[in-house]
Amino acid sequence: MLASTCLSVSFFPLTATTVTHGFFFFVSGVPGKGSRRPPRHMPGWATMATATEPASSVIASISDPHATAHLMCKIKITRVVAALIRLLYYYLVAAAALGRSYTGTLCGDLLAGAMAHSWRLLVQGLTSLMFLCAHADEYVRPPPSPLVLLSHDKPPSHPQQVHISVVGANSMRISWVTDDRSAPSVVEYGRSPGKYVASAAGDHTTYHYFFYKSGAIHHVTIGPLEPGTTYYYRCGKAGDEFTLRTPPATLPIEFVVIGDLGQTGWTASTLSHIGGGDYDMLLLPGDLSYADTQQPLWDSFGRLVQPLASARPWMVTEGNHEIETLPIVEFAPFVSYNARWRMPSEESGLPSNLYYSFDVAGGAAHVVMLGSYAPFGEESEQHRWLRRDLERVDRRRTPWLLVLLHARWYNTNQAHQGEGESMRVAMERMLYEARVDVVFAGHVHAYERFGPMYITIGDGGNREGLALRYENVLSDQVIDEYGRKAFMEDHKSAHLSEFREASFGHGRLRIVNETSAVWTWHRNDDEYATVRDEVWLQSLATAKTSIAGTTGRHIDEL
């Protein structure tokens, strides 16, 4: 398989309707066993099965222990065969991506690649048929998906990996990469296609990581811009024209929230669902590319998100996968992240790019992006800055106060238990005293909501897959691949968890007015984004509840 074919959009489709890691079966019928209700806008009934599913909800529906053991044995054998075939397939993909021939001839490469791909799909199909035969009546959670690798096939001076972020009240930072390191850091823009009445210049940087050297990473701030307005712009006086829309000056405003995004087929599905609806800004609480020291994956990630990230501001904070330090080799942490995703930290009066804050909707909402992997103790700069920042917020003028961080503070999933506890102890009281309305986090690859305030949204589509084990979930028990109950009953915060599900998806927070907002979580359900959780929020700036009684004691629960 040629490298150009392997890395093309057609080879790694960007929609969930084309199979990259499993088969989808749709069976018409009537409600009953083997069926589930479709999205509210989708007629009919459907049964779905995906290949190499972890056997959780499927096995949970089988009451006969002998049948369960028999099915588990078949699935494990099939998984071993599938894993061997996938190893061969991914080896061929990697060789093609590097431009190497693995048979010595073009025809041999094409034949070997086609055979590996066909055998992979055949084994996945057989696995899918097993799950259909199991008569599962639960939603079958998707397995991890292969990486979506996008190449840049335009001249070196043309911009790629374009993304935008807000800077101050009426400006926008445009960031992009060029392979030509001498390309100008200039943005031309205007309100009509092809008619640029203004321009702005900025700067560019590069970085090294082992033998990798980045292209020129450009950052240009444009403005002043009118709120709620569409602008057309071109980067570096070359290449394509892009469009962006500035956030509104007043409420309502709608945020998309996704975490632990990565660049897999499920990531592409999440991005497709996000692009299917309008919104004003995207918030991402850490774990962007999952490059994990493999620097070309930062480039591929930038190309994957460009259609959305070039049109609406993306405001991000760092996760553990952005650290990219190595034992013995003294690479500074966050080198790639800081060079590529420059956030408005300077406007927050900070020397660090790892935490900052900003206002939107004319100051009606204040968003705080915290750094889980920057010092956060009481004597740290982040702790002192957060106290100053929250004290400056006038809740009469700013009725909504949002916080994002990566390592969540509340969690009934067995994954990453306790990893955010020290930060919670250090900072949670300040958030309570400031009457923060909602805290979004990632890190755990699942969705979970504690009341209306603490929400884990680490299910964007990463390559590590879903975190399928929760504690103290008494209904809809899930059995893991070893036949054990995956849920326990001894977590102290379990009674506070109002909704949890290990599925890929994204969230939307629509602030309607000064007192009300609605949060919805959308599961990646086939080609649709199904609303699985919805809750209305009341601004704590106007709520009558009091937290005065908590003063002087340790906060152990919400």
Side-chain angles (χ1 to χ4, degrees):
M1 193 176 302
L2 297 176
S4 59
T5 302
C6 182
L7 298 180
S8 67
V9 176
S10 60
F11 184 79
F12 286 111
L14 298 185
T15 63
T17 56
T18 302
V19 177
T20 59
H21 198 73
F23 283 171
F24 295 92
F25 297 89
F26 296 91
V27 181
S28 300
V30 295
K33 194 169 185 179
S35 300
R36 62 177 174 81
R37 290 196 174 273
R40 59 186 66 174
H41 55 279
M42 178 181 173
W45 297 86
T47 298
M48 186 185 81
T50 57
T52 62
E53 154 44 82
S56 54
S57 53
V58 171
I59 297 174
S61 67
I62 303 175
S63 57
D64 184 356
H66 297 289
T68 299
H70 188 58
L71 179 61
M72 282 304 309
C73 181
K74 289 183 178 180
I75 290 172
K76 289 180 179 180
I77 293 173
T78 307
R79 279 179 173 173
V80 172
V81 177
L84 293 175
I85 292 176
R86 281 202 304 272
L87 284 175
L88 172 62
Y89 176 70
Y90 293 147
Y91 168 74
L92 300 180
V93 170
L98 295 173
R100 299 172 181 169
S101 173
Y102 35 81
T103 66
T105 65
L106 174 60
C107 292
D109 290 351
L110 292 175
L111 180 61
M115 290 178 62
H117 188 58
S118 299
W119 275 100
R120 186 171 68 97
L121 293 180
L122 175 61
V123 174
Q124 291 171 182
L126 292 174
T127 309
S128 295
L129 288 175
M130 288 185 184
F131 283 101
L132 281 179
C133 295
H135 301 292
D137 57 0
E138 298 291 335
Y139 172 75
V140 181
R141 294 174 176 84
S145 178
L147 295 179
V148 175
L149 304 175
L150 300 182
S151 62
H152 181 60
D153 55 1
K154 296 181 179 179
S157 62
H158 283 214
Q160 57 171 302
Q161 308 173 47
V162 181
H163 60 270
I164 64 177
S165 55
V166 296
V167 179
N170 55 8
S171 297
M172 198 80 71
R173 177 177 287 118
I174 315 295
S175 302
W176 73 97
V177 177
T178 58
D179 292 332
D180 180 1
R181 297 184 180 89
S182 63
S185 301
V186 175
V187 172
E188 304 165 287
Y189 61 100
R191 298 190 187 185
S192 300
K195 297 181 180 179
Y196 309 125
V197 298
S199 66
D203 58 66
H204 75 271
T205 186
T206 61
Y207 72 92
H208 287 83
Y209 198 97
F210 278 112
F211 301 109
Y212 173 88
K213 183 177 182 180
S214 72
I217 304 170
H218 306 264
H219 300 286
V220 176
T221 300
I222 63 174
L225 306 175
E226 293 295 322
T229 302
T230 298
Y231 287 87
Y232 301 83
Y233 66 100
R234 187 173 66 161
C235 304
K237 298 184 177 182
D240 299 331
E241 177 179 80
F242 299 90
T243 62
L244 66 83
R245 193 181 72 200
T246 55
T250 59
L251 299 176
I253 186 173
E254 182 161 331
F255 301 94
V256 163
V257 187
I258 50 174
D260 299 69
L261 190 55
Q263 47 188 310
T264 69
W266 294 114
T267 306
S269 174
T270 300
L271 296 175
S272 176
H273 293 155
I274 291 171
D278 197 16
Y279 62 98
D280 300 299
M281 179 179 292
L282 187 143
L283 307 175
L284 202 164
D287 282 1
L288 282 69
S289 70
Y290 281 76
D292 292 326
T293 75
Q294 301 177 58
Q295 297 306 299
L297 291 182
W298 275 108
D299 297 310
S300 180
F301 174 79
R303 298 175 194 125
L304 177 64
V305 303
Q306 175 179 283
L308 297 184
S310 62
R312 299 289 186 273
W314 279 40
M315 310 305 294
V316 305
T317 188
E318 85 283 359
N320 55 299
H321 286 274
E322 277 72 64
I323 299 175
E324 295 190 300
T325 55
L326 292 173
I328 302 176
V329 182
E330 293 297 329
F331 279 111
F334 306 108
V335 171
S336 310
Y337 171 78
N338 286 335
R340 295 172 182 271
W341 291 83
R342 187 182 296 178
M343 293 291 112
S345 55
E346 294 180 3
E347 289 71 22
S348 297
L350 294 168
S352 173
N353 190 49
L354 303 181
Y355 48 92
Y356 59 95
S357 65
F358 60 95
D359 291 332
V360 289
H366 185 70
V367 182
V368 179
M369 310 289 280
L370 295 179
S372 294
Y373 303 97
F376 49 72
E378 291 189 7
E379 302 302 320
S380 67
E381 174 57 34
Q382 181 177 196
H383 193 281
R384 292 191 294 267
W385 164 80
L386 178 61
R387 183 173 297 279
R388 295 193 304 267
D389 186 79
L390 294 176
E391 289 174 350
R392 285 195 293 262
V393 178
D394 183 353
R395 297 306 297 273
R396 294 168 297 181
R397 176 181 175 272
T398 306
W400 291 97
L401 183 52
L402 318 178
V403 172
L404 286 88
L405 50 93
H406 185 65
R408 75 288 156 277
W409 293 352
Y410 290 89
N411 172 37
T412 65
N413 196 296
Q414 286 198 0
H416 303 298
Q417 273 294 321
E419 290 185 18
E421 180 64 11
S422 57
M423 188 179 189
R424 183 193 72 80
V425 171
M427 291 185 162
E428 187 178 34
R429 178 164 298 282
M430 288 190 287
L431 272 56
Y432 271 88
E433 292 173 351
R435 304 178 75 84
V436 168
D437 295 288
V438 61
V439 179
F440 295 106
H443 204 36
V444 175
H445 300 163
Y447 172 76
E448 184 168 20
R449 175 172 58 80
F450 290 86
M453 183 174 180
Y454 283 95
I455 297 175
T456 300
I457 188 78
D459 58 344
N462 59 86
R463 60 173 170 76
E464 295 177 337
L466 295 167
L468 292 170
R469 302 195 65 184
Y470 286 87
E471 299 184 19
N472 195 27
V473 181
L474 300 180
S475 62
D476 298 328
Q477 287 281 4
V478 172
I479 307 298
D480 70 12
E481 61 182 319
Y482 301 104
R484 304 172 303 197
K485 284 189 177 182
F487 300 145
M488 301 174 65
E489 302 179 10
D490 57 353
H491 197 283
K492 66 177 183 180
S493 299
H495 66 288
L496 302 171
S497 179
E498 295 188 358
F499 188 98
R500 82 283 279 167
E501 182 174 321
S503 300
F504 294 122
H506 74 279
R508 291 176 180 260
L509 177 67
R510 180 172 179 81
I511 301 180
V512 180
N513 52 40
E514 289 77 8
T515 60
S516 301
V518 60
W519 165 258
T520 53
W521 175 64
H522 304 249
R523 183 177 70 194
N524 290 4
D525 198 356
D526 310 336
E527 69 265 41
Y528 300 96
T530 304
V531 176
R532 288 284 292 140
D533 186 30
E534 180 174 351
V535 62
W536 281 85
L537 287 73
Q538 180 183 3
S539 168
L540 294 180
T542 58
K544 297 182 181 299
T545 55
S546 173
I547 60 169
T550 65
T551 303
R553 67 179 177 86
H554 182 74
I555 300 175
D556 287 323
E557 295 183 344
L558 294 175

